[in-house]
Amino acid sequence: MDRERVDQLIREADAHYLKGELQEALSLYRQVLAEDETVAWAHSRIGAILAEFGDEAAAEASIRRALELDPYLPQAHSNLGNIYYSRGDYQRALAQYQKAIQLDPRQPIYYENLHAAYKKLGRIAEAVAAFKKAQRLHQEKAREEARAHLKQAAANLRRGGCLSTTLVVMLTVLLLVIILR
């Protein structure tokens, strides 16, 4: 097994996945598993893709394999929750979303999923609280990204970068920070 090759395949697969190019991502994740069958991340992502394609049985099997390999992978718990949710088993979905949050409390999508499950269960106050938490996390992430862009623009300016481009970036980031407050 060539670890560097596996890592490169994962990066490429993730890039396709994030762009919504699911067929390409699926092919690359399968290549990852051909190189190393123990990559829980690839199993989880394959499960998510198969669920998108409507193959719930294969999706669940892939996600369960991910959890066998890494029971602390929050994405796999969230993905399994999505399978349960799509079947109308909101209580089991809720438990998986809660586990994902327990493992990684900074991901807004987990709270959005939690919101949906609570709502389906008629637990409106908890649904609203989960929705608000998701919105706060989205805002925090946007602020962090804006600060990082501002810091980079300032560094570019100090290194003698293009003043007009740097100012445009700085003003854009500043505007985003003001809007998101």
Side-chain angles (χ1 to χ4, degrees):
M1 161 185 50
D2 180 4
R3 188 75 228 165
E4 191 173 308
R5 174 168 164 67
V6 169
D7 290 343
Q8 178 61 34
L9 285 170
I10 291 171
R11 283 191 297 275
E12 289 176 30
D14 287 347
H16 285 289
Y17 183 87
L18 293 174
K19 288 190 262 181
E21 299 167 349
L22 300 183
Q23 219 33 70
E24 295 86 347
L26 180 61
S27 175
L28 288 166
Y29 287 124
R30 285 182 169 154
Q31 286 180 44
V32 168
L33 294 181
E35 296 279 331
D36 181 359
E37 199 281 331
T38 67
V39 180
W41 179 256
H43 284 287
S44 181
R45 280 285 172 93
I46 286 172
I49 293 168
L50 292 174
E52 284 286 322
F53 291 161
D55 190 350
E56 282 190 11
E60 182 175 0
S62 190
I63 294 165
R64 287 194 181 283
R65 179 66 179 135
L67 289 170
E68 287 172 13
L69 293 166
D70 184 357
Y72 303 103
L73 184 61
Q75 295 84 353
H77 286 284
S78 182
N79 290 340
L80 185 56
N82 292 341
I83 297 288
Y84 292 144
Y85 186 92
S86 71
R87 293 178 181 158
D89 191 347
Y90 306 119
Q91 195 62 49
R92 287 176 78 188
L94 182 69
Q96 290 300 314
Y97 298 147
Q98 289 170 331
K99 182 67 174 177
I101 289 169
Q102 178 186 7
L103 293 169
D104 186 359
R106 303 252 323 129
Q107 292 303 319
I109 188 68
Y110 303 155
Y111 291 94
E112 291 169 359
N113 292 342
L114 190 66
H115 160 260
Y118 276 137
K119 190 174 171 185
K120 288 290 189 177
L121 291 167
R123 296 166 63 177
I124 303 306
E126 291 159 303
V128 169
F131 180 78
K132 286 181 179 179
K133 178 67 175 187
Q135 295 308 305
R136 279 193 302 275
L137 288 172
H138 278 301
Q139 289 175 345
E140 287 173 17
K141 284 182 179 267
R143 283 189 197 106
E144 288 169 10
E145 288 176 15
R147 284 186 195 103
H149 287 298
L150 188 57
K151 187 176 181 180
Q152 181 62 44
N156 288 345
L157 186 58
R158 282 193 299 276
R159 285 194 302 264
C162 176
L163 181 61
S164 63
T165 302
T166 301
L167 285 176
V168 168
V169 170
M170 289 175 71
L171 289 173
T172 303
V173 169
L174 185 59
L175 183 59
L176 281 171
V177 170
I178 291 168
I179 290 171
L180 294 173
R181 281 191 171 201

